[in-house]
Amino acid sequence: MASDNQRLQCCFQEWMTTQEQELSELLQALNLKENDVNSSENTYAKLAEKSINSFQEYIDKRNQLSRRDVSGLFAPSWNTALENSLLWIAGCRPSMYIRLTYALCGSQVELHLPEILQGLVRGDLGQISATQLGKINDLHMKTMKEEERLSNNLASLQENIADQPIAVIAKRLCRVGESSGDVDLALDEHKSSMASMLQEADKLRLSTLKELLGILTPVQGVDFLAASKKLHLCMHEWGKTRDHRHGRN
Amino acid sequence: MASDNQRLQCCFQEWMTTQEQELSELLQALNLKENDVNSSENTYAKLAEKSINSFQEYIDKRNQLSRRDVSGLFAPSWNTALENSLLWIAGCRPSMYIRLTYALCGSQVELHLPEILQGLVRGDLGQISATQLGKINDLHMKTMKEEERLSNNLASLQENIADQPIAVIAKRLCRVGESSGDVDLALDEHKSSMASMLQEADKLRLSTLKELLGILTPVQGVDFLAASKKLHLCMHEWGKTRDHRHGRN
């Protein structure tokens, strides 16, 4: 029978395979030059919806698994060290989505400036409107506030370890690391709070992504999703190269 | 020749051995009932100084090693998953020291209440004065403020990955994970900022510990250090049991 750790790893690997497949579909759609604007808008919207649904499925599945073993998700061995150094509550910071959107807008304006001035490029992230930017900024503020709230909750959960009952039981044990039913119970309670924490963080990641895609036009949404998945997959590969360089398997 | 990762692991293992040795010295000193108050105060003060010096040596060494490979310290494979889920910038939160002090004060008052009322127990953390508690509270506020500042810096460093140049280069690559000199350079710069971040966090951990020991009497300091090291070593052992339970080696 598979261990909790193997189930978590399997869930992650399936997710990475999905990411690769979706990236290739997104890029294909962006490269297609459909003449019918309505039909391509429709394709883009469907792809964005598919991405959101598979993200929802992934977090549902790992939240379910995390009820048995949550610690393994805070710095998984299947992530590279580079990726683990970037984690926030077992995933990416939701505000990274917004940071990425801004970066893509800026770089595309820079890249296509002549075409934009001539009105030849339309619809992508270089063409974001002032109204959209205002809404993204509001979303940014809201997301950062929520991140701060969750970070504070995490801090207080982490500090609980140095409080009653765990720290006091540890002090009174005859032997370091001696097993204790009371400690086991307290660590199980701690685990369950950490799992709820993860669920809240995942909920924020998903809601931020949904709201962001709601502000972007369908083609901008697909542009963003493709860049975001590609960045994630690239970081995983670059992390592997660096792990290898420093003697990690 | 040892890899960067092996050097880091070796540095950690030496540190854990030092922790065990120091714990046994601290407990021995606490159990000795010297009649001469001055001589035991002197012994306690020396042990606290020794602990601080070895902590300083450890962080100096790992800061030096982190210049080559810092990612490996943010969720090291030699930590258990439980320990990695409690990390804050590659170590413990400095405010945990204060939380632990409060917990020890409370539990010792509770345990020795009859003796305290009769004036029979003197000197340990159950006997902390109002003036000391006031100073510890000030230190707590100061420490939390610094933690918040560093957490914000870390957040912005982590988010930089989703910005120029890394995210934009990733978007333009033909193949996912393709190596790029520019990305390598940007990741090296990122690494060096993360190493500075670690150094600042370690500095805060050390200064908080020093200030706390400066507020406590020598015997209280030794009492705190013993409990703190024992908790750390216990968490490592309990984490191993839990890793085993969930199928991690």
Side-chain angles (χ1 to χ4, degrees):
Chain A
M1 217 179 77
S3 69
D4 296 330
N5 201 52
Q6 283 166 334
R7 280 199 203 95
L8 285 171
Q9 181 162 15
C10 187
C11 170
F12 169 78
Q13 276 163 347
E14 282 171 16
W15 171 236
M16 290 301 266
T17 308
T18 308
Q19 295 280 79
E20 280 167 22
Q21 282 165 353
E22 290 185 352
L23 173 60
S24 116
E25 287 167 10
L26 292 162
L27 291 175
Q28 217 173 348
L30 286 171
N31 288 331
L32 265 185
K33 287 189 181 116
E34 290 192 56
N35 291 326
D36 181 350
V37 175
N38 287 338
S39 133
S40 58
E41 293 268 296
N42 200 13
T43 311
Y44 295 145
K46 274 189 186 157
L47 282 172
E49 204 189 321
K50 188 179 170 190
S51 269
I52 286 181
N53 289 343
S54 60
F55 189 37
Q56 174 85 64
E57 276 168 36
Y58 168 63
I59 64 177
D60 285 349
K61 190 163 177 193
R62 78 170 194 157
N63 273 305
Q64 195 193 335
L65 293 171
S66 78
R67 296 284 154 188
R68 289 179 53 88
D69 177 24
V70 70
S71 295
L73 285 170
F74 276 72
S77 56
W78 43 88
N79 270 357
T80 62
L82 177 62
E83 290 169 287
N84 277 336
S85 76
L86 299 170
L87 286 187
W88 174 83
I89 317 186
C92 78
R93 288 185 175 271
S95 50
M96 274 183 125
Y97 300 142
I98 293 154
R99 194 74 184 268
L100 177 61
T101 310
Y102 287 142
L104 296 173
C105 294
S107 76
Q108 290 186 10
V109 168
E110 201 181 299
L111 194 67
H112 298 296
L113 197 58
E115 293 97 322
I116 290 172
L117 292 175
Q118 292 171 57
L120 294 177
V121 183
R122 291 218 64 83
D124 75 0
L125 283 165
Q127 303 283 300
I128 204 149
S129 72
T131 317
Q132 284 179 307
L133 280 176
K135 285 184 188 168
I136 294 174
N137 187 50
D138 291 345
L139 178 61
H140 198 185
M141 295 300 119
K142 192 173 83 171
T143 307
M144 285 200 300
K145 229 173 167 173
E146 273 300 284
E147 273 183 20
E148 201 185 321
R149 186 180 67 82
L150 294 182
S151 294
N152 289 339
N153 289 355
L154 178 69
S156 110
L157 254 182
Q158 289 179 322
E159 283 175 23
N160 280 347
I161 294 292
D163 206 337
Q164 294 265 24
I166 296 174
V168 177
I169 297 172
K171 185 173 198 268
R172 293 182 191 157
L173 289 178
C174 294
R175 200 172 41 77
V176 161
E178 197 177 325
S179 73
S180 142
D182 288 339
V183 164
D184 232 30
L185 210 68
L187 287 176
D188 279 344
E189 263 178 46
H190 188 263
K191 177 174 83 171
S192 136
S193 308
M194 291 289 264
S196 305
M197 187 87 247
L198 168 68
Q199 195 163 12
E200 275 205 76
D202 275 347
K203 219 171 117 185
L204 181 62
R205 281 184 270 266
L206 183 66
S207 68
T208 307
L209 183 63
K210 274 183 179 172
E211 287 189 52
L212 178 63
L213 292 174
I215 298 168
L216 301 178
T217 63
V219 63
Q220 288 169 346
V222 166
D223 202 16
F224 164 81
L225 283 169
S228 154
K229 285 174 203 289
K230 199 163 170 192
L231 178 61
H232 179 194
L233 293 165
C234 280
M235 289 301 291
H236 192 61
E237 293 307 316
W238 292 330
K240 279 187 199 167
T241 312
R242 290 187 165 239
D243 274 351
H244 186 73
R245 197 179 295 166
H246 297 300
R248 278 183 293 272
N249 298 330
Chain B
M1 217 179 78
S3 69
D4 295 330
N5 201 51
Q6 284 166 332
R7 279 197 204 97
L8 285 172
Q9 181 162 14
C10 188
C11 170
F12 169 78
Q13 275 162 348
E14 282 172 15
W15 171 236
M16 290 301 265
T17 308
T18 307
Q19 295 281 78
E20 280 168 22
Q21 283 165 353
E22 289 185 353
L23 173 60
S24 114
E25 288 168 10
L26 292 163
L27 291 176
Q28 217 172 350
L30 285 172
N31 288 330
L32 265 184
K33 288 190 179 115
E34 287 193 57
N35 290 326
D36 182 350
V37 175
N38 286 338
S39 134
S40 57
E41 293 268 296
N42 199 15
T43 310
Y44 296 145
K46 274 189 183 155
L47 283 173
E49 205 188 321
K50 190 179 169 190
S51 269
I52 286 179
N53 289 343
S54 60
F55 189 36
Q56 174 85 64
E57 276 169 36
Y58 168 63
I59 64 178
D60 284 350
K61 191 163 178 194
R62 78 170 196 157
N63 273 306
Q64 194 193 335
L65 293 171
S66 78
R67 295 285 153 190
R68 289 180 54 87
D69 176 24
V70 71
S71 294
L73 284 170
F74 274 73
S77 57
W78 44 89
N79 270 358
T80 61
L82 177 62
E83 291 169 287
N84 277 337
S85 75
L86 300 171
L87 286 188
W88 174 83
I89 316 183
C92 78
R93 289 184 175 269
S95 51
M96 274 184 124
Y97 300 143
I98 292 154
R99 194 73 185 267
L100 178 62
T101 310
Y102 287 142
L104 296 173
C105 294
S107 77
Q108 290 187 11
V109 167
E110 202 182 301
L111 194 68
H112 298 297
L113 197 58
E115 294 98 321
I116 290 171
L117 291 175
Q118 293 172 55
L120 294 177
V121 184
R122 291 218 66 82
D124 75 1
L125 283 165
Q127 304 281 301
I128 203 149
S129 72
T131 317
Q132 285 179 306
L133 280 176
K135 286 184 186 167
I136 293 173
N137 187 51
D138 291 346
L139 177 61
H140 197 184
M141 296 301 118
K142 193 172 83 172
T143 307
M144 285 198 302
K145 228 173 167 172
E146 273 300 284
E147 273 182 20
E148 200 185 323
R149 187 180 66 82
L150 294 183
S151 293
N152 289 339
N153 288 356
L154 178 69
S156 108
L157 254 181
Q158 289 179 322
E159 283 174 24
N160 280 348
I161 294 293
D163 205 340
Q164 294 265 25
I166 296 175
V168 177
I169 298 172
K171 185 173 197 271
R172 292 182 192 158
L173 288 178
C174 294
R175 198 172 44 76
V176 161
E178 197 176 325
S179 74
S180 141
D182 288 339
V183 163
D184 232 28
L185 210 67
L187 287 177
D188 279 344
E189 262 178 45
H190 188 262
K191 176 172 86 172
S192 136
S193 308
M194 292 289 263
S196 305
M197 187 84 246
L198 169 67
Q199 195 162 13
E200 275 204 77
D202 275 348
K203 220 172 118 186
L204 182 61
R205 282 184 269 266
L206 184 66
S207 69
T208 307
L209 183 64
K210 274 184 180 171
E211 286 188 53
L212 178 63
L213 292 174
I215 297 169
L216 301 178
T217 63
V219 63
Q220 287 167 346
V222 166
D223 203 16
F224 164 81
L225 285 169
S228 151
K229 285 174 201 292
K230 200 165 170 191
L231 178 62
H232 180 194
L233 294 165
C234 279
M235 289 300 292
H236 193 59
E237 294 306 317
W238 293 330
K240 279 187 200 168
T241 311
R242 290 185 165 242
D243 274 352
H244 187 72
R245 198 178 295 165
H246 297 300
R248 279 184 291 273
N249 299 330

